[in-house]
Amino acid sequence: VAVTERTDHAGTPLTVGIVGAGQLARMLCEAASALGVATVVLAAGPDDAATQVAGHVTIGAAADPQAIADLARCCDVVTFDHELVDLDGLVGLEDAGAVIRPGPRALAAAVDKAHQRRTFAAAGLPVPRFEILDGDAAGDVAALRELADELGAVPVVKAARGGYDGRGVVVADSLEEAVDAVRGWRARGVTVVAEAPCSFRCELAALVARRPGGEVAQWRCVQTDQLEGVCREVMVPGALDESTALDAAALARRVAEHLGVVGVLAVELFDTADGLVVNEVATRPHNSGHWTIEGAVTSQFENHLRAVLDLPLGATDLVAPAICSVNVFGSADGTGPGSLAAALDEPAAKVHLYGKEPKPGRKLGHVTVVGTDAADVHARAWRAAAALGTHVAASAGAAR
Ligand SMILES: Nc1ncnc2c1ncn2[C@@H]1O[C@H](COP(=O)(O)OP(=O)(O)OP(=O)(O)O)[C@@H](O)[C@H]1O
Ligand SMILES: [Mg+2]
């Protein structure tokens, strides 16, 4: 691609390359447009969500180091829409002088759940009791059964790499179901994390934006609601009391500092009777932060760009006391989204559609409502989301 170099009058470089071109890249491009920041996205195909709004589009595989090298050559900083990337390739590129934010060390925690559990446990961060299964089949199954005995419960099993939206996670009712899942993954050489099932009062998410020098900005922690492993609703502040929210924010900051992350970090947490437990992290803008577009002074997308460009971070204060975001999914018959006009009939609804081809269970958009009363914003957001089609994830065949 021919990208015109863009800087401000002080010479600050302002061209961001984004690996992946899904809805997160699309919303990053929207924020970049407002700041006069140029964008180049590395898309898997011409129909990816961000290709309709990016400044420039290149087509290539996110896991191909050469494609990322080509992207790095035409922009000032490389950042990410997802974490399905080749870490070794990124290390090589960084050594060759490319600016990659977040860097491969921070990305590694998001790429590999086994690595994440090990390094977080070693750093004293609260994680569920876990075992990594990456040996021979008989040994792995024996280790899983031993863990189940110790816990007195069926462990949750997860593919260490490649999962998203609950794919790659099995919360089984029976131990045999968990054993089958582990056997299937191990037969394909996939490392598995087996861990204690956490009984939580609620799931929450804490977002941090961090600059290269360590300056951070944090938003109010939010309650998230998952159905079949997929986030369908985010409530601000939701059921979280102030002290839990502050504890979660402090924990997320520790994680950000531990990883040395640059850009936005999302920490998914469980609020359990024994305290907060880290479920997983994403080193990029996150579904739990879409509400920040309308609900905070500065959105997660804008602060991600500001962080990776090493620009001052924006204020993260809430603009209203109650905010609700609801995801819109493709319906089971593969259609959707439904009537935009009907959704917009709810005047408070801010509708975001990602321009994606509908598939069963695929995230096609979200709706945010900002207001003063939690029940009111919840009802309005769900009404608008319902007009756009199903908003409940299909269990089978969910596609990004
Ligand atoms: N140890 C656990 N105990 C109880 N529930 C769990 C556990 N691990 C995961 N879950 C449930 O499964 C959901 C998906 O798990 P996880 O976040 O690890 O997967 P994911 O596919 O990477 O998610 P996504 O990409 O959607 O954030 C969690 O939000 C939670 O509801
Ligand atoms: Mg998750």
Side-chain angles (χ1 to χ4, degrees), residues 113 117 128 156 158 163-169 171 195-200 203 226 229-231 268 270 279-280 284 286 363:
K113 284 177 169 156
R117 284 279 181 262
V156 173
K158 305 181 172 186
Y164 60 88
D165 281 353
R167 292 169 139 204
V169 174
V171 185
E195 64 186 30
C198 298
S199 51
F200 43 78
E203 290 193 62
Q226 271 67 228
V230 188
C231 175
E268 298 179 11
F270 299 137
N279 172 31
E280 61 160 350
R284 51 165 168 76
H286 190 253
K363 266 181 211 163

Side-chain angles (χ1 to χ4, degrees), residues 335-357:
T335 62
S339 167
L340 180 59
L344 298 180
D345 227 15
E346 169 48 65
K350 303 304 292 181
V351 172
H352 296 255
L353 292 174
Y354 308 144
K356 289 158 73 173
E357 187 202 324

Side-chain angles (χ1 to χ4, degrees), residues 9-398:
H9 292 302
T12 308
L14 294 176
T15 304
V16 174
I18 305 170
V19 176
Q23 62 264 23
L24 301 176
R26 182 179 172 112
M27 290 183 271
L28 280 170
C29 290
E30 289 167 356
S33 167
L35 291 173
V37 166
T39 49
V40 190
V41 296
L42 175 63
D47 299 328
D48 286 5
T51 60
Q52 300 150 20
V53 299
H56 304 269
V57 178
T58 68
I59 306 292
D64 173 12
Q66 189 54 49
I68 300 187
D70 292 344
L71 178 70
R73 249 196 308 281
C74 65
C75 55
D76 301 300
V77 54
V78 172
T79 193
F80 302 87
D81 162 273
H82 62 75
E83 47 271 319
L84 305 175
V85 293
D86 174 64
L87 284 176
D88 294 337
L90 293 178
V91 171
L93 273 178
E94 212 176 35
D95 290 346
V99 181
I100 299 177
R101 293 175 174 160
R105 197 178 75 79
L107 271 169
V111 168
D112 188 321
K113 284 177 169 156
H115 172 76
Q116 183 187 122
R117 284 279 181 262
R118 279 198 187 107
T119 55
F120 285 13
L125 296 163
V127 294
R129 165 86 179 89
F130 69 95
E131 289 291 336
I132 307 299
L133 309 179
D134 59 357
D136 63 88
D140 288 335
V141 170
L144 180 66
R145 292 191 192 283
E146 262 173 52
L147 180 64
D149 279 346
E150 177 195 318
L151 297 170
V154 179
V156 173
V157 290
K158 305 181 172 186
R161 291 182 180 231
Y164 60 88
D165 281 353
R167 292 169 139 204
V169 174
V170 175
V171 185
D173 293 323
S174 76
L175 182 56
E176 291 323 302
E177 203 183 317
V179 166
D180 283 349
V182 169
R183 281 208 178 101
W185 281 319
R186 294 301 301 129
R188 287 181 279 128
V190 176
T191 297
V192 176
V193 180
E195 64 186 30
C198 298
S199 51
F200 43 78
R201 286 185 280 252
C202 74
E203 290 193 62
L204 54 151
L207 280 180
V208 187
R210 187 170 180 276
R211 281 177 80 178
E215 181 197 337
V216 297
Q218 294 190 260
W219 290 262
R220 179 66 161 79
C221 296
V222 302
Q223 182 185 355
T224 63
D225 178 36
Q226 271 67 228
L227 183 73
E228 294 172 359
V230 188
C231 175
R232 60 172 181 174
E233 180 179 11
V234 175
M235 289 142 292
V236 194
L240 294 183
D241 58 72
E242 194 64 29
S243 84
T244 307
L246 289 174
D247 288 350
L251 182 52
R253 185 175 177 151
R254 269 174 70 202
V255 174
E257 278 158 9
H258 166 72
L259 294 174
V261 76
V262 175
V264 164
L265 170 79
V267 183
E268 298 179 11
L269 300 150
F270 299 137
D271 180 22
T272 76
D274 301 324
L276 293 169
V277 173
V278 176
N279 172 31
E280 61 160 350
V281 299
T283 50
R284 51 165 168 76
H286 190 253
N287 197 164
S288 65
H290 293 352
W291 65 273
T292 59
I293 296 174
E294 290 87 11
V297 174
T298 310
S299 77
Q300 62 165 347
F301 300 102
E302 181 174 341
N303 263 350
H304 183 80
L305 294 169
R306 289 160 74 145
V308 302
L309 288 165
D310 202 12
L311 293 167
L313 301 177
T316 52
D317 310 66
L318 301 187
V319 302
I323 301 152
C324 180
S325 267
V326 177
N327 282 337
V328 174
F329 296 92
S331 60
D333 62 0
T335 62
S339 167
L340 180 59
L344 298 180
D345 227 15
E346 169 48 65
K350 303 304 292 181
V351 172
H352 296 255
L353 292 174
Y354 308 144
K356 289 158 73 173
E357 187 202 324
K359 288 184 192 166
R362 192 182 205 195
K363 266 181 211 163
L364 301 178
H366 73 271
V367 176
T368 299
V369 174
V370 165
T372 51
D373 177 71
D376 179 58
V377 296
H378 173 90
R380 288 173 187 270
W382 278 88
R383 191 179 323 137
L388 287 166
T390 66
H391 36 264
V392 176
S395 54

